């Protein structure tokens, strides 16, 4: 179901427009790690696996000679190509199980994971996310690895952007498909509650949204 949602053009356009911004803190952390492991030499290539619409691929462009983003969804790749602004970035449909690159030809393999859960209990959702990262960390067959937890990130959003963000979440789209009337009612009520709280400033207000990121880093020597 989730793969079907991601592979539709309307959702891919929503995802590209409203998904949360790239974290400069995480990007800087990863790039510093790569520079440390490569002794500061010029970086040739980065591979973004599961690149989606390329929102988190493009920030890598200034730091590598070439960046390749791959995703299994045609519509995500089509949107990525449409909004590509870097000459050294390219995209193609490919799977993580069959990477379209030669062995030892990549300086960075970048994979951004979004945890989406249907549970209303945020504590359970956070615990599930930590469990997934723990499993990922333990599964990496490399000695040189580390897991950085609770990276604080803050960014500003408007009320329309929050509503758009909700619509860009795969779980909401599944909800919409199963019960369109109820999903739209939930969206309308959410916006109404925010506007009631903000009053006359609802259209111009910029709200601080706080998130925590997790980062697993590993190096193949």
């Amino acid at each position: 179901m989730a793969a079907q949602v991601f592979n539709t053009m309307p959702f891919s356009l929503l995802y590209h427009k409203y998904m949360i911004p790239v974290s400069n803190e995480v990007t800087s952390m990863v790039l510093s790690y790569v520079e440390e492991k490569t002794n500061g030499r010029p970086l040739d290539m980065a591979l973004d696996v599961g690149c989606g619409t390329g929102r988190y691929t493009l920030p890598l462009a200034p730091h590598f000679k070439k960046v390749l983003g791959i995703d299994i969804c045609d519509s995500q790749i089509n949107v990525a190509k449409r909004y590509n602004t870097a000459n050294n970035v390219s995209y193609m449909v490919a799977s993580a199980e069959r990477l379209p690159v030669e062995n030892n030809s990549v300086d960075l393999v970048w994979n951004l994971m979004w945890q989406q859960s249907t549970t209303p209990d945020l504590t359970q959702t956070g615990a599930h996310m930590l469990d997934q990262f723990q499993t990922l960390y333990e599964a990496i067959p490399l000695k040189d690895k580390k897991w950085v937890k609770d990276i604080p990130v803050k960014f500003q959003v408007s009320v329309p952007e929050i509503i758009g963000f909700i619509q860009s979440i795969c779980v909401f789209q599944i909800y919409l498909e199963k019960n369109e009337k109820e999903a739209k009612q939930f969206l309308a009520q959410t916006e109404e509650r925010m506007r009631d709280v903000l009053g006359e400033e609802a259209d111009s207000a910029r709200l601080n949204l706080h998130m925590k990121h997790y980062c697993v880093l590993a190096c193949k020597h």
Side-chain angles (χ1 to χ4, degrees):
M1 177 69 75
Q4 293 174 355
V5 170
F6 274 96
N7 209 17
T8 63
M9 184 57 71
F11 175 76
S12 293
L13 290 169
L14 270 173
Y15 183 89
H16 183 79
K17 184 176 181 179
Y18 291 113
M19 186 48 65
I20 65 173
V22 64
S23 165
N24 293 327
E25 293 85 350
V26 172
T27 302
S28 296
M29 178 184 299
V30 171
L31 291 172
S32 295
Y33 182 82
V34 174
E35 291 173 1
E36 175 190 340
K37 298 302 179 181
T38 56
N39 297 317
R41 65 169 173 77
L43 301 173
D44 292 323
M45 184 176 181
L47 176 65
D48 186 357
V49 179
C51 66
T53 62
R55 287 192 64 189
Y56 311 103
T57 314
L58 287 174
L60 300 175
H63 307 280
F64 295 85
K65 291 181 181 179
K66 180 180 179 181
V67 180
L68 173 62
I70 66 170
D71 201 284
I72 60 172
C73 296
D74 293 337
S75 66
Q76 296 272 305
I77 291 297
N78 288 336
V79 172
K81 289 179 177 179
R82 180 187 300 185
Y83 291 100
N84 186 9
T85 56
N87 293 329
N88 64 329
V89 175
S90 59
Y91 299 97
M92 66 182 296
V93 176
S95 70
E97 291 75 22
R98 300 185 65 179
L99 299 177
V101 293
E102 299 292 332
N103 289 339
N104 301 315
S105 64
V106 174
D107 293 304
L108 170 66
V109 177
W110 166 276
N111 174 241
L112 191 66
M113 296 171 56
W114 293 109
Q115 173 62 37
Q116 297 181 1
S117 172
T118 56
T119 174
D121 189 330
L122 296 180
T123 302
Q124 292 182 11
T125 300
H128 181 60
M129 181 187 296
L130 286 172
D131 287 343
Q132 283 200 328
F133 272 94
Q134 182 71 42
T135 301
L136 172 65
Y137 177 78
E138 292 174 354
I140 296 175
L142 300 172
K143 293 183 178 180
D144 189 349
K145 59 183 179 179
K146 65 178 180 178
W147 178 15
V148 184
K149 305 177 184 178
D150 297 335
I151 306 166
V153 176
K154 181 182 76 173
F155 54 93
Q156 292 191 329
V157 291
S158 65
V159 170
E161 287 170 337
I162 293 176
I163 298 303
F165 170 64
I166 294 172
Q167 292 176 288
S168 73
I169 298 175
C170 178
V171 169
F172 177 79
Q173 292 297 318
I174 294 173
Y175 181 27
L176 187 66
E177 185 172 329
K178 290 183 176 181
N179 193 327
E180 181 178 359
K181 181 179 179 180
E182 194 174 287
K184 288 183 175 180
Q185 185 179 27
F186 163 78
L187 202 64
Q189 290 175 345
T190 300
E191 182 171 4
E192 184 180 354
R193 285 196 294 269
M194 287 191 291
R195 290 188 176 277
D196 285 344
V197 171
L198 295 170
E200 295 180 356
E201 298 180 352
D203 289 327
S204 60
R206 302 293 294 177
L207 309 176
N208 289 325
L209 186 59
H210 296 262
M211 299 189 70
K212 288 184 179 180
H213 290 259
Y214 304 89
C215 190
V216 175
L217 302 165
C219 180
K220 175 185 177 182
H221 293 283

